[in-house]
Amino acid sequence: MFDPVIAPSGTLLGLLQRGRGDGTLHALTAPRPEALAALNHCVLHDPRHDWQVENRSLYYARLYLDLGGDLDAVEAHLFDPEDTLDTEECRTGLALAVLGHLASYGRRDALDLLRRYAAGGASWAWALDELALRDDDAGLRALAQPVLARFPAGPEGDAALATAVRDAFEPRPWRLWAEDPREAIGARVRAAQETGCFDRWQRQMRPSGPRPGWSVRAVFEWAQQGMERGAALHVPAARCLAAVAGPEDRPEIVRAARDGDDGARCTALRYLADSDDAEALELIEGAVITGTAAAVEAAVDAFERMRSVAAVDRARGWARRPDPLGAAAGRMLACRGGTRDRDLVLGALREAVRGEGPDAPTLWTLVDGAGRLGIVCAAPVLRHVYRETASSHLRGRAARALAATDPSFAAGFAVECLWDCEETTREVAARHAETGDNRVVDRLRRLAADPAEEAEVQTAVRSRIGTEGTP
């Protein structure tokens, strides 16, 4: 999947792609054809950088309802000939999730589209999971025959069916089909269920990796073998090392951390940092200076996991370094520093935005730290991150930090956050938004009554209703 192209934050499309609350508010005042075109573009061309964790489906479904939009464009996308060529779930997953929410709101056209796609589409399993949560028993039973027809009778088809049953996110349809009196359906699904259970038992009986009694050298060799085939195993290897290593093995581990091959060096650095070894900090610094890219990354990760007072003190000395260790030191102070470290954290935050932009991964921790330490001077940078980032999760973190640092948040960004795509951001807004704005009162009412809203958001809404008398 290619990285999505995100429009500027000041455009309607850019706001909707980011999932910002202002996207909904602008769409409701824009010409309806323009708003629907932007909405369809987002649903058909998933704008998320990490589509597995960022939320957009409920946000877009609610906008379809508010605009009274039809689903012709979604239907054309799902049943396009490309569906047989590009079978990746990321091509259709967002559209199917939006249809699922629309079906839960009573949109019959969305339910019918899901049924048709489950019967004939490439990502049928996703559609079936959506229907498992929303459709009635009769609708699901009607899909048994077309779904099972995807798996021809015979060893290969039966094995593929067993895998599909085993890996199903929602088991309800398969349980219904297992009760079907027809031999070609009920008996076949029951056999697939039994095969899946047996497969899981076999995997548990054949564990791979280190065994009790392995030596330190064997653990290092296992980690290096993983490194050579492109699998980073130093984290589990370090846990294994904690189980097999004794005091007499420390010299060997220290040597590996200083100049071993990548697998051994990464494993040893992680182990020594986790055990707060006296030489861990010097070895980490040495790896950053002399190590390969893999060793540098492992050293930085190991350092950030340290909890000791010595590690925090060292971070204060490293925070201004113009290298990965300096960036890690800033993140450590953001997580574990005190009020004396505010200037260092603020400097790291500003430098990250200047050097890497508003989507830099390091910002997640630094933004949290600005809020935790109450760095009021960070508010302008946090507002910039909030506006510009394409990550809805990072924007939510910026909103929480602004709630702790920016006196204008309650009457400003908190209002639009009530329409945000992330439920955690809506929760922050529900706790802070000024109710003097009529839009806030109306939105709190809708969130409180919406059965699709998350429980945490509704709890926050009800706390405002109870304490402030909001109707």
Side-chain angles (χ1 to χ4, degrees), residues 234-240 242 266-277 280-281 284 296-312 315 318 324-325 327-333 335-336 365:
H234 63 277
V235 174
R239 291 197 295 267
C240 295
C266 295
T267 301
L269 288 169
R270 180 72 169 228
Y271 168 81
L272 293 170
D274 285 352
S275 56
D276 282 330
D277 188 275
L281 292 168
I284 286 171
V296 171
E297 182 178 356
V300 166
D301 288 344
F303 170 64
E304 288 192 68
R305 287 173 53 83
M306 298 182 74
R307 301 291 189 271
S308 65
V309 173
V312 176
W318 286 345
L325 193 53
R331 293 192 295 270
M332 175 173 279
L333 295 176
C335 292
R336 300 180 188 94
T365 304

Short mmCIF file of all heavy atoms in Angstrom, two decimals, residues 234-240 242 266-277 280-281 284 296-312 315 318 324-325 327-333 335-336 365:
data_model
loop_
_atom_site.label_atom_id
_atom_site.label_comp_id
_atom_site.label_asym_id
_atom_site.label_seq_id
_atom_site.Cartn_x
_atom_site.Cartn_y
_atom_site.Cartn_z
N HIS A 234 16.22 -9.77 19.14
CA HIS A 234 17.02 -9.45 20.32
C HIS A 234 16.17 -9.20 21.56
O HIS A 234 16.64 -9.40 22.67
CB HIS A 234 17.92 -8.24 20.04
CG HIS A 234 17.19 -6.97 19.74
ND1 HIS A 234 16.71 -6.67 18.49
CD2 HIS A 234 16.86 -5.93 20.54
CE1 HIS A 234 16.12 -5.49 18.52
NE2 HIS A 234 16.20 -5.01 19.76
N VAL A 235 14.91 -8.77 21.37
CA VAL A 235 14.07 -8.54 22.55
C VAL A 235 13.70 -9.86 23.23
O VAL A 235 13.93 -10.03 24.44
CB VAL A 235 12.83 -7.72 22.17
CG1 VAL A 235 11.87 -7.61 23.35
CG2 VAL A 235 13.23 -6.33 21.69
N PRO A 236 13.12 -10.84 22.50
CA PRO A 236 12.89 -12.13 23.18
C PRO A 236 14.19 -12.80 23.61
O PRO A 236 14.22 -13.51 24.63
CB PRO A 236 12.14 -12.96 22.13
CG PRO A 236 12.40 -12.31 20.83
CD PRO A 236 12.57 -10.85 21.13
N ALA A 237 15.26 -12.59 22.84
CA ALA A 237 16.54 -13.19 23.23
C ALA A 237 17.02 -12.62 24.56
O ALA A 237 17.60 -13.35 25.38
CB ALA A 237 17.58 -12.94 22.14
N ALA A 238 16.81 -11.32 24.79
CA ALA A 238 17.21 -10.73 26.06
C ALA A 238 16.41 -11.32 27.22
O ALA A 238 16.95 -11.53 28.32
CB ALA A 238 17.03 -9.21 26.01
N ARG A 239 15.13 -11.60 26.97
CA ARG A 239 14.33 -12.25 28.03
C ARG A 239 14.86 -13.65 28.30
O ARG A 239 14.91 -14.10 29.46
CB ARG A 239 12.86 -12.29 27.61
CG ARG A 239 12.19 -10.92 27.60
CD ARG A 239 10.67 -11.06 27.60
NE ARG A 239 10.19 -11.69 26.37
CZ ARG A 239 9.80 -11.03 25.29
NH1 ARG A 239 9.85 -9.70 25.29
NH2 ARG A 239 9.36 -11.65 24.22
N CYS A 240 15.24 -14.37 27.24
CA CYS A 240 15.83 -15.70 27.43
C CYS A 240 17.15 -15.61 28.19
O CYS A 240 17.46 -16.44 29.06
CB CYS A 240 16.06 -16.37 26.08
SG CYS A 240 14.55 -16.74 25.17
N ALA A 242 17.93 -13.47 30.41
CA ALA A 242 17.64 -13.26 31.83
C ALA A 242 17.36 -14.57 32.55
O ALA A 242 17.61 -14.70 33.75
CB ALA A 242 16.46 -12.31 31.98
N CYS A 266 22.92 -6.41 20.20
CA CYS A 266 21.58 -5.88 20.51
C CYS A 266 20.98 -6.60 21.71
O CYS A 266 20.36 -5.99 22.59
CB CYS A 266 20.67 -6.01 19.30
SG CYS A 266 21.16 -5.01 17.88
N THR A 267 21.15 -7.92 21.75
CA THR A 267 20.62 -8.71 22.86
C THR A 267 21.29 -8.32 24.18
O THR A 267 20.62 -8.12 25.20
CB THR A 267 20.83 -10.21 22.59
OG1 THR A 267 20.16 -10.56 21.38
CG2 THR A 267 20.30 -11.05 23.73
N ALA A 268 22.62 -8.21 24.15
CA ALA A 268 23.35 -7.89 25.37
C ALA A 268 23.01 -6.49 25.88
O ALA A 268 22.84 -6.28 27.09
CB ALA A 268 24.85 -8.01 25.11
N LEU A 269 22.90 -5.52 24.98
CA LEU A 269 22.54 -4.16 25.40
C LEU A 269 21.17 -4.14 26.06
O LEU A 269 20.98 -3.49 27.10
CB LEU A 269 22.56 -3.23 24.18
CG LEU A 269 23.93 -2.88 23.62
CD1 LEU A 269 23.79 -2.19 22.27
CD2 LEU A 269 24.71 -2.00 24.59
N ARG A 270 20.22 -4.85 25.47
CA ARG A 270 18.87 -4.89 26.05
C ARG A 270 18.92 -5.55 27.44
O ARG A 270 18.32 -5.05 28.39
CB ARG A 270 17.96 -5.66 25.10
CG ARG A 270 16.52 -5.79 25.56
CD ARG A 270 15.80 -4.47 25.44
NE ARG A 270 14.36 -4.65 25.62
CZ ARG A 270 13.44 -4.14 24.81
NH1 ARG A 270 13.78 -3.41 23.79
NH2 ARG A 270 12.16 -4.35 25.04
N TYR A 271 19.64 -6.65 27.54
CA TYR A 271 19.71 -7.36 28.82
C TYR A 271 20.36 -6.50 29.90
O TYR A 271 19.86 -6.40 31.03
CB TYR A 271 20.49 -8.66 28.62
CG TYR A 271 20.88 -9.34 29.90
CD1 TYR A 271 19.97 -10.14 30.59
CD2 TYR A 271 22.17 -9.19 30.44
CE1 TYR A 271 20.33 -10.76 31.79
CE2 TYR A 271 22.53 -9.82 31.62
CZ TYR A 271 21.61 -10.59 32.29
OH TYR A 271 21.96 -11.21 33.47
N LEU A 272 21.48 -5.86 29.58
CA LEU A 272 22.18 -5.06 30.58
C LEU A 272 21.38 -3.84 31.00
O LEU A 272 21.38 -3.46 32.17
CB LEU A 272 23.55 -4.64 30.02
CG LEU A 272 24.55 -5.78 29.79
CD1 LEU A 272 25.76 -5.27 29.02
CD2 LEU A 272 24.97 -6.40 31.13
N ALA A 273 20.68 -3.22 30.04
CA ALA A 273 19.85 -2.06 30.39
C ALA A 273 18.69 -2.47 31.29
O ALA A 273 18.38 -1.80 32.28
CB ALA A 273 19.33 -1.39 29.12
N ASP A 274 18.05 -3.60 30.96
CA ASP A 274 16.91 -4.04 31.76
C ASP A 274 17.33 -4.43 33.18
O ASP A 274 16.52 -4.35 34.11
CB ASP A 274 16.23 -5.23 31.08
CG ASP A 274 15.40 -4.81 29.88
OD1 ASP A 274 15.25 -3.59 29.66
OD2 ASP A 274 14.90 -5.70 29.15
N SER A 275 18.58 -4.87 33.32
CA SER A 275 19.06 -5.26 34.66
C SER A 275 19.81 -4.14 35.37
O SER A 275 20.40 -4.36 36.43
CB SER A 275 19.95 -6.50 34.55
OG SER A 275 21.03 -6.27 33.66
N ASP A 276 19.79 -2.91 34.79
CA ASP A 276 20.45 -1.75 35.39
C ASP A 276 21.92 -2.03 35.72
O ASP A 276 22.42 -1.68 36.80
CB ASP A 276 19.71 -1.29 36.66
CG ASP A 276 18.45 -0.50 36.32
OD1 ASP A 276 18.44 0.16 35.27
OD2 ASP A 276 17.49 -0.56 37.10
N ASP A 277 22.59 -2.67 34.80
CA ASP A 277 24.01 -2.97 34.99
C ASP A 277 24.80 -1.67 35.09
O ASP A 277 24.49 -0.66 34.45
CB ASP A 277 24.51 -3.81 33.82
CG ASP A 277 25.92 -4.32 34.04
OD1 ASP A 277 26.87 -3.57 33.73
OD2 ASP A 277 26.06 -5.44 34.55
N ALA A 280 25.96 -0.30 31.73
CA ALA A 280 24.98 -0.25 30.64
C ALA A 280 25.01 1.08 29.91
O ALA A 280 24.99 1.13 28.67
CB ALA A 280 23.59 -0.53 31.18
N LEU A 281 25.07 2.20 30.64
CA LEU A 281 25.00 3.50 29.99
C LEU A 281 26.21 3.76 29.11
O LEU A 281 26.09 4.30 28.00
CB LEU A 281 24.85 4.60 31.05
CG LEU A 281 23.51 4.59 31.80
CD1 LEU A 281 23.56 5.50 33.01
CD2 LEU A 281 22.39 5.00 30.86
N ILE A 284 25.85 1.64 25.99
CA ILE A 284 24.84 2.21 25.10
C ILE A 284 25.42 3.37 24.31
O ILE A 284 25.26 3.47 23.09
CB ILE A 284 23.61 2.65 25.92
CG1 ILE A 284 22.81 1.41 26.37
CG2 ILE A 284 22.72 3.60 25.12
CD1 ILE A 284 21.71 1.72 27.36
N VAL A 296 22.50 0.78 16.85
CA VAL A 296 22.10 2.10 17.35
C VAL A 296 20.64 2.08 17.78
O VAL A 296 20.28 2.58 18.86
CB VAL A 296 22.35 3.17 16.28
CG1 VAL A 296 21.73 4.50 16.70
CG2 VAL A 296 23.83 3.34 16.02
N GLU A 297 19.78 1.52 16.94
CA GLU A 297 18.35 1.47 17.28
C GLU A 297 18.12 0.67 18.55
O GLU A 297 17.34 1.07 19.42
CB GLU A 297 17.57 0.87 16.12
CG GLU A 297 16.08 0.82 16.35
CD GLU A 297 15.30 0.26 15.17
OE1 GLU A 297 15.94 -0.03 14.13
OE2 GLU A 297 14.08 0.10 15.29
N ALA A 298 18.80 -0.49 18.67
CA ALA A 298 18.63 -1.31 19.86
C ALA A 298 19.15 -0.60 21.10
O ALA A 298 18.54 -0.68 22.18
CB ALA A 298 19.34 -2.65 19.68
N ALA A 299 20.27 0.12 20.97
CA ALA A 299 20.84 0.84 22.12
C ALA A 299 19.90 1.94 22.59
O ALA A 299 19.68 2.12 23.79
CB ALA A 299 22.20 1.41 21.73
N VAL A 300 19.34 2.67 21.63
CA VAL A 300 18.43 3.76 21.98
C VAL A 300 17.18 3.20 22.66
O VAL A 300 16.70 3.73 23.67
CB VAL A 300 18.08 4.57 20.71
CG1 VAL A 300 16.89 5.48 20.97
CG2 VAL A 300 19.29 5.37 20.26
N ASP A 301 16.63 2.13 22.10
CA ASP A 301 15.44 1.52 22.70
C ASP A 301 15.73 1.02 24.11
O ASP A 301 14.91 1.18 25.03
CB ASP A 301 14.94 0.37 21.84
CG ASP A 301 14.30 0.84 20.55
OD1 ASP A 301 13.96 2.03 20.45
OD2 ASP A 301 14.14 0.01 19.63
N ALA A 302 16.90 0.40 24.28
CA ALA A 302 17.26 -0.10 25.60
C ALA A 302 17.39 1.04 26.60
O ALA A 302 16.95 0.94 27.75
CB ALA A 302 18.57 -0.89 25.51
N PHE A 303 18.00 2.14 26.18
CA PHE A 303 18.16 3.29 27.07
C PHE A 303 16.80 3.84 27.50
O PHE A 303 16.59 4.14 28.68
CB PHE A 303 18.97 4.37 26.36
CG PHE A 303 19.00 5.69 27.10
CD1 PHE A 303 19.59 5.79 28.35
CD2 PHE A 303 18.43 6.82 26.54
CE1 PHE A 303 19.61 6.99 29.04
CE2 PHE A 303 18.45 8.02 27.22
CZ PHE A 303 19.04 8.11 28.47
N GLU A 304 15.89 3.98 26.56
CA GLU A 304 14.58 4.56 26.90
C GLU A 304 13.78 3.70 27.86
O GLU A 304 12.86 4.19 28.51
CB GLU A 304 13.78 4.81 25.62
CG GLU A 304 14.31 5.97 24.80
CD GLU A 304 13.34 6.37 23.70
OE1 GLU A 304 12.26 6.90 24.03
OE2 GLU A 304 13.67 6.17 22.53
N ARG A 305 14.12 2.42 27.96
CA ARG A 305 13.41 1.54 28.89
C ARG A 305 13.94 1.66 30.31
O ARG A 305 13.28 1.19 31.25
CB ARG A 305 13.54 0.08 28.44
CG ARG A 305 12.73 -0.26 27.22
CD ARG A 305 13.07 -1.68 26.75
NE ARG A 305 12.96 -2.66 27.81
CZ ARG A 305 11.82 -3.23 28.20
NH1 ARG A 305 10.69 -2.89 27.62
NH2 ARG A 305 11.80 -4.13 29.16
N MET A 306 15.08 2.26 30.49
CA MET A 306 15.70 2.31 31.81
C MET A 306 14.90 3.23 32.74
O MET A 306 14.35 4.24 32.31
CB MET A 306 17.15 2.77 31.71
CG MET A 306 18.02 1.80 30.90
SD MET A 306 19.76 2.28 30.82
CE MET A 306 20.30 1.86 32.48
N ARG A 307 14.85 2.87 34.01
CA ARG A 307 14.05 3.61 34.98
C ARG A 307 14.89 4.22 36.11
O ARG A 307 14.36 4.88 36.99
CB ARG A 307 13.01 2.68 35.64
CG ARG A 307 12.04 2.02 34.66
CD ARG A 307 11.09 3.05 34.08
NE ARG A 307 10.03 2.42 33.32
CZ ARG A 307 10.09 2.13 32.04
NH1 ARG A 307 11.21 2.38 31.37
NH2 ARG A 307 9.07 1.58 31.41
N SER A 308 16.18 4.00 36.08
CA SER A 308 17.01 4.40 37.22
C SER A 308 17.23 5.90 37.26
O SER A 308 17.12 6.61 36.25
CB SER A 308 18.37 3.69 37.14
OG SER A 308 19.07 4.12 36.00
N VAL A 309 17.56 6.40 38.45
CA VAL A 309 17.91 7.80 38.62
C VAL A 309 19.15 8.15 37.80
O VAL A 309 19.24 9.23 37.20
CB VAL A 309 18.14 8.11 40.12
CG1 VAL A 309 18.67 9.53 40.29
CG2 VAL A 309 16.86 7.91 40.91
N ALA A 310 20.09 7.20 37.72
CA ALA A 310 21.32 7.43 36.95
C ALA A 310 21.00 7.64 35.47
O ALA A 310 21.62 8.48 34.81
CB ALA A 310 22.26 6.25 37.12
N ALA A 311 20.03 6.89 34.95
CA ALA A 311 19.66 7.03 33.54
C ALA A 311 19.04 8.40 33.27
O ALA A 311 19.32 9.05 32.25
CB ALA A 311 18.70 5.92 33.13
N VAL A 312 18.19 8.86 34.19
CA VAL A 312 17.58 10.18 34.02
C VAL A 312 18.64 11.27 34.11
O VAL A 312 18.63 12.23 33.33
CB VAL A 312 16.46 10.39 35.06
CG1 VAL A 312 15.89 11.80 34.95
CG2 VAL A 312 15.35 9.36 34.87
N ALA A 315 20.45 11.35 30.94
CA ALA A 315 19.63 11.95 29.89
C ALA A 315 19.75 13.47 29.89
O ALA A 315 19.74 14.11 28.83
CB ALA A 315 18.16 11.54 30.07
N TRP A 318 22.75 14.25 27.97
CA TRP A 318 22.70 13.86 26.56
C TRP A 318 21.64 14.61 25.76
O TRP A 318 21.61 14.51 24.53
CB TRP A 318 22.40 12.36 26.46
CG TRP A 318 23.56 11.48 26.82
CD1 TRP A 318 24.86 11.84 26.94
CD2 TRP A 318 23.49 10.08 27.11
NE1 TRP A 318 25.64 10.75 27.28
CE2 TRP A 318 24.82 9.64 27.39
CE3 TRP A 318 22.47 9.14 27.16
CZ2 TRP A 318 25.12 8.32 27.71
CZ3 TRP A 318 22.77 7.82 27.47
CH2 TRP A 318 24.09 7.42 27.74
N PRO A 324 20.69 10.26 17.55
CA PRO A 324 19.55 9.50 18.09
C PRO A 324 19.55 9.40 19.61
O PRO A 324 18.48 9.35 20.22
CB PRO A 324 19.70 8.13 17.43
CG PRO A 324 20.42 8.39 16.16
CD PRO A 324 21.37 9.51 16.47
N LEU A 325 20.73 9.38 20.22
CA LEU A 325 20.77 9.30 21.67
C LEU A 325 20.28 10.59 22.31
O LEU A 325 19.61 10.57 23.36
CB LEU A 325 22.20 8.98 22.13
CG LEU A 325 22.37 8.56 23.59
CD1 LEU A 325 21.46 7.40 23.93
CD2 LEU A 325 23.83 8.19 23.85
N ALA A 327 17.98 12.55 20.98
CA ALA A 327 16.52 12.51 20.84
C ALA A 327 15.91 11.59 21.88
O ALA A 327 14.86 11.90 22.48
CB ALA A 327 16.15 12.06 19.43
N ALA A 328 16.55 10.44 22.12
CA ALA A 328 16.04 9.52 23.13
C ALA A 328 16.10 10.13 24.52
O ALA A 328 15.20 9.91 25.36
CB ALA A 328 16.85 8.22 23.09
N ALA A 329 17.15 10.91 24.79
CA ALA A 329 17.26 11.57 26.09
C ALA A 329 16.11 12.55 26.29
O ALA A 329 15.54 12.64 27.39
CB ALA A 329 18.61 12.28 26.19
N GLY A 330 15.76 13.30 25.25
CA GLY A 330 14.62 14.20 25.36
C GLY A 330 13.34 13.45 25.66
O GLY A 330 12.52 13.89 26.48
N ARG A 331 13.15 12.30 25.01
CA ARG A 331 11.94 11.51 25.27
C ARG A 331 11.94 10.94 26.69
O ARG A 331 10.89 10.88 27.33
CB ARG A 331 11.83 10.39 24.24
CG ARG A 331 11.56 10.88 22.83
CD ARG A 331 11.18 9.75 21.91
NE ARG A 331 12.26 8.80 21.70
CZ ARG A 331 13.17 8.88 20.74
NH1 ARG A 331 13.15 9.91 19.90
NH2 ARG A 331 14.12 7.96 20.62
N MET A 332 13.11 10.53 27.18
CA MET A 332 13.17 10.02 28.55
C MET A 332 12.79 11.11 29.55
O MET A 332 12.04 10.85 30.51
CB MET A 332 14.56 9.47 28.87
CG MET A 332 14.69 9.04 30.33
SD MET A 332 16.23 8.21 30.72
CE MET A 332 15.85 6.55 30.16
N LEU A 333 13.30 12.31 29.35
CA LEU A 333 12.95 13.39 30.26
C LEU A 333 11.48 13.75 30.15
O LEU A 333 10.84 14.13 31.15
CB LEU A 333 13.82 14.62 29.97
CG LEU A 333 15.32 14.44 30.23
CD1 LEU A 333 16.07 15.69 29.82
CD2 LEU A 333 15.57 14.12 31.70
N CYS A 335 9.16 11.65 29.70
CA CYS A 335 8.43 10.60 30.44
C CYS A 335 8.74 10.62 31.93
O CYS A 335 7.84 10.38 32.75
CB CYS A 335 8.78 9.23 29.88
SG CYS A 335 8.18 8.90 28.23
N ARG A 336 10.01 10.88 32.30
CA ARG A 336 10.43 10.66 33.68
C ARG A 336 11.11 11.86 34.32
O ARG A 336 11.50 11.79 35.49
CB ARG A 336 11.38 9.46 33.73
CG ARG A 336 10.71 8.20 33.23
CD ARG A 336 11.60 6.99 33.26
NE ARG A 336 10.91 5.92 32.58
CZ ARG A 336 11.05 5.63 31.29
NH1 ARG A 336 11.89 6.34 30.57
NH2 ARG A 336 10.36 4.68 30.73
N THR A 365 5.89 10.99 22.24
CA THR A 365 6.36 11.04 23.63
C THR A 365 6.58 12.48 24.08
O THR A 365 6.24 12.84 25.22
CB THR A 365 7.67 10.25 23.76
OG1 THR A 365 7.45 8.91 23.31
CG2 THR A 365 8.13 10.22 25.20
#
